[in-house]
Amino acid sequence: MKAVIIGATSGIGLELAKVMTHNGWEVGLTGRRINILQDLQKALAGQVFIRQMDITQFENARAALADLVEEMEGMDVIVVNAGIGTFTRRWEKELPIIQTNATGFAALANWAYHYFQSVGHGQLVGISSLAALRSSSSLPSYHASKAFISSYMQGLRYHAQKKKLNIQVTDIRPGFVRTAMTAQNGDNMFWDAPADKAARQIFDAIQRKKKVVYITKRWRLMAWFMRAMPDFIYTKIT
Ligand SMILES: NC(=O)c1ccc[n+]([C@@H]2O[C@H](COP(=O)([O-])OP(=O)(O)OC[C@H]3O[C@@H](n4cnc5c(N)ncnc54)[C@H](OP(=O)(O)O)[C@@H]3O)[C@@H](O)[C@H]2O)c1
């Protein structure tokens, strides 16, 4: 199997690259930090292709993905994982969050979906979040961007079903995972999983071609609470 991981230089994407190569998958890895990609190409077993890519440079990123897939001579799975998040309501900090998590995501997911249509098969995997389910007062742009990801993927899944295409769309919704991104949370996390455990569960969900999955599994319960909680309680804890 051939998979591209968008955002593979740290955290969940990096661990997923390790799991995939360990299981004999060919991978195409992307990120802005080319030195890390080069080190990974040497360190990981098997066929590893790399491309430097900033997904907020939308057209360049789409062209770089096309180039990478051509070099790999095909792609069966894409994991659009790159994302950022900061506690903020300031526009200058919200803009890159929206550009990366929403527009950047769509730019690449859209390219991949049309590619899968043209070759007749494929699986689009997007790393959304539990944050997609409901907003929060402390980082509304992050929650909104993740809601965008889940909704965008739902639309593509509906399209694939309607047109009877052999394309699967997998919406991954992690709770807390210990990575560089969540280091800002300090001890204000619970049920936080190590990134390698999250990656193993994500790989399992990809192989099972799941539609929506919570990472780690226990977060499915929290998803129910997040939706059910009345505003006056929810706003006190978020
Ligand atoms: N950790 C959690 O608790 C958690 C929970 C729910 C969802 N998620 C989601 O999981 C995904 C991975 O996050 P993580 O926790 O593993 O964070 P991370 O360790 O900070 O990794 C983020 C990855 O995204 C890439 N990236 C960021 N901005 C980019 C850009 N403009 N262009 C290209 N690549 C970019 C980074 O690569 P470069 O810096 O090299 O570009 C890096 O590989 C994100 O979408 C995040 O929202 C995480």
Side-chain angles (χ1 to χ4, degrees):
M1 293 286 279
K2 298 180 182 187
V4 168
I5 303 174
I6 305 295
T9 53
S10 72
I12 294 170
L14 173 60
E15 293 302 326
L16 189 58
K18 289 183 192 168
V19 176
M20 284 179 164
T21 50
H22 183 73
N23 282 275
W25 286 35
E26 279 182 34
V27 293
L29 308 180
T30 82
R32 290 165 300 182
R33 288 170 289 175
I34 186 67
N35 56 325
I36 298 183
L37 294 173
Q38 286 163 342
D39 290 348
L40 280 173
Q41 196 172 31
K42 287 182 206 137
L44 295 175
Q47 285 271 63
V48 179
F49 302 85
I50 57 171
R51 273 299 175 290
Q52 187 175 30
M53 182 191 291
D54 180 344
I55 67 165
T56 64
Q57 303 297 311
F58 314 122
E59 296 311 325
N60 289 347
R62 283 165 64 90
L65 175 59
D67 195 47
L68 175 62
V69 172
E70 194 180 335
E71 189 190 347
M72 292 173 70
E73 296 179 355
M75 166 177 79
D76 304 300
V77 176
I78 186 167
V79 184
V80 188
N81 164 71
I84 56 172
T86 326
F87 293 99
T88 188
R89 287 174 301 277
R90 301 188 73 85
W91 175 243
E92 61 275 19
K93 287 189 175 171
E94 287 192 322
L95 182 60
I97 293 173
I98 295 163
Q99 285 178 322
T100 307
N101 300 3
T103 319
F105 177 91
L108 296 175
N110 173 284
W111 188 91
Y113 188 78
H114 287 288
Y115 168 80
F116 292 145
Q117 258 190 290
S118 70
V119 296
H121 80 281
Q123 185 177 7
L124 167 63
V125 182
I127 309 296
S128 177
S129 170
L130 219 81
L133 301 176
R134 197 163 175 176
S135 198
S136 122
S137 56
S138 46
L139 59 171
S141 57
Y142 181 77
H143 284 247
S145 69
K146 292 298 177 178
F148 175 91
I149 289 176
S150 288
S151 179
Y152 191 76
M153 284 196 289
Q154 187 179 45
L156 295 181
R157 188 183 306 112
Y158 287 157
H159 181 263
Q161 281 168 1
K162 201 164 140 185
K163 301 287 179 189
K164 298 189 173 26
L165 305 175
N166 184 19
I167 301 175
Q168 289 75 41
V169 181
T170 301
D171 179 348
I172 304 282
R173 298 177 182 172
F176 288 123
V177 180
R178 289 194 292 278
T179 65
M181 193 185 84
T182 50
Q184 64 184 323
N185 295 350
D187 292 333
N188 295 326
M189 294 196 284
F190 61 100
W191 288 359
D192 43 319
D196 59 339
K197 182 177 180 183
R200 284 195 300 276
Q201 290 192 11
I202 291 169
F203 185 61
D204 183 61
I206 292 171
Q207 290 189 301
R208 290 168 188 267
K209 299 190 189 303
K210 292 264 193 189
K211 289 181 181 164
V212 178
V213 64
Y214 292 92
I215 302 292
T216 53
K217 289 173 186 153
R218 53 164 64 171
W219 282 93
R220 173 174 276 282
L221 180 67
M222 186 53 66
W224 184 86
F225 276 113
M226 263 182 84
R227 285 201 186 96
M229 222 180 277
D231 278 351
F232 77 92
I233 299 176
Y234 184 78
T235 49
K236 283 200 178 88
I237 60 167
T238 61

